[in-house]
Amino acid sequence: MLRQNHSFHLITHVNPSSYISENYRDIRTNLTYSTLDGACKTVLVTSATAGEGKSTVLSNLAVAYAHVGKKVLMIDADLRKPALHHIFSNTNELGLVQALENSALLKQSIKETMIPNLYLLPSGPIPLYSSELLTNGMSNLLHELKTHFDLIFIDSPPVLTVTDTQIIAAGSDGVILVIRNGKIKRQLAKKAVDKLKFVKANIVGSILNYTISYG
């Protein structure tokens, strides 16, 4: 079950008939039809700076896909400040970090959530050298997971804070940039886009976020 103080972050689950939930379904439709060839299976959701709501947006978008029968995995690759295990009331003792260090631990690191078709690979304990860990193993891990899930959403640190996000973006099929209304300045958003383009990331869209949320 959701913890009471975190349940409002998953509005697509607790109030699927709300206006905001309908907006997430619109995003789901737009994302689906913008990748008609079916090649976009791994989608990184990030932001320029902290506090723009990327983790909440990712979670609700993942729920929206799970509701239509897609088998969806969320990966918390924000190895500096993980949040997804808080939203889904999951433990964070075993996760992405251990799976990157030892691929034999991948299967047992993936957790079921309370929502059918929706799974979580939490971050695991915060490592000393996250960029090196991601560089050495993230591409192979995503390649393996693509064979088991219809869609994979990846949470990451904000683009402008560390290099981790560029590493993940380069190996993802698509990137969604979340922008918090009234918080982020135009030049910072442009700088984030430029950093993503530098690693030839496929930016499939941006989301203007008006809500109070994680990430």
Side-chain angles (χ1 to χ4, degrees):
M1 294 183 63
L2 286 171
R3 295 173 185 165
Q4 186 174 4
N5 61 333
H6 295 314
S7 62
F8 69 94
H9 291 291
L10 275 185
I11 191 166
T12 49
H13 177 63
V14 299
N15 191 3
S17 62
S18 68
Y19 173 74
I20 296 176
S21 295
E22 185 60 34
N23 285 339
Y24 279 110
R25 288 191 286 271
D26 286 342
I27 295 169
R28 180 189 66 199
T29 300
N30 292 337
L31 180 59
T32 299
Y33 282 96
S34 69
T35 57
L36 288 176
D37 59 359
C40 198
K41 292 191 68 173
T42 55
V43 180
L44 171 66
V45 181
T46 189
S47 58
T49 61
E52 296 191 68
K54 60 180 176 58
S55 300
T56 301
V57 168
L58 181 155
S59 300
N60 282 282
L61 191 54
V63 171
Y65 270 96
H67 280 172
V68 294
K70 297 293 185 181
K71 187 178 181 183
V72 182
L73 175 67
M74 302 171 294
I75 300 177
D76 197 338
D78 189 343
L79 302 184
R80 317 286 179 134
K81 192 178 178 182
L84 294 183
H85 66 286
H86 291 302
I87 297 175
F88 289 91
S89 301
N90 252 301
T91 63
N92 197 31
E93 296 175 359
L94 183 66
L96 177 61
V97 170
Q98 288 95 335
L100 289 172
E101 293 173 338
N102 182 356
S103 60
L105 296 175
L106 177 58
K107 185 176 180 180
Q108 66 190 85
S109 300
I110 296 173
K111 313 297 182 185
E112 292 186 8
T113 71
M114 65 288 181
I115 298 168
N117 303 316
L118 187 59
Y119 300 81
L120 171 65
L121 177 56
S123 68
I126 296 174
L128 290 177
Y129 305 104
S130 60
S131 296
E132 290 79 2
L133 193 61
L134 292 167
T135 299
N136 292 333
M138 193 66 177
S139 179
N140 288 337
L141 181 139
L142 290 177
H143 181 75
E144 167 65 19
L145 290 172
K146 278 185 180 184
T147 65
H148 300 288
F149 293 92
D150 297 318
L151 194 61
I152 299 168
F153 286 105
I154 310 162
D155 196 0
S156 77
V159 181
L160 300 182
T161 57
V162 291
T163 61
D164 297 19
T165 306
Q166 288 177 288
I167 295 169
I168 302 167
S172 300
D173 298 329
V175 178
I176 294 174
L177 183 65
V178 176
I179 300 171
R180 176 74 178 275
N181 183 56
K183 173 181 173 64
I184 186 72
K185 293 183 178 180
R186 184 184 299 270
Q187 61 266 33
L188 290 179
K190 183 181 183 302
K191 186 176 180 181
V193 170
D194 289 342
K195 287 176 75 72
L196 291 169
K197 287 183 176 179
F198 181 77
V199 295
K200 297 180 172 57
N202 176 28
I203 303 174
V204 297
S206 59
I207 296 174
L208 189 63
N209 184 25
Y210 289 85
T211 60
I212 300 173
S213 34
Y214 269 113

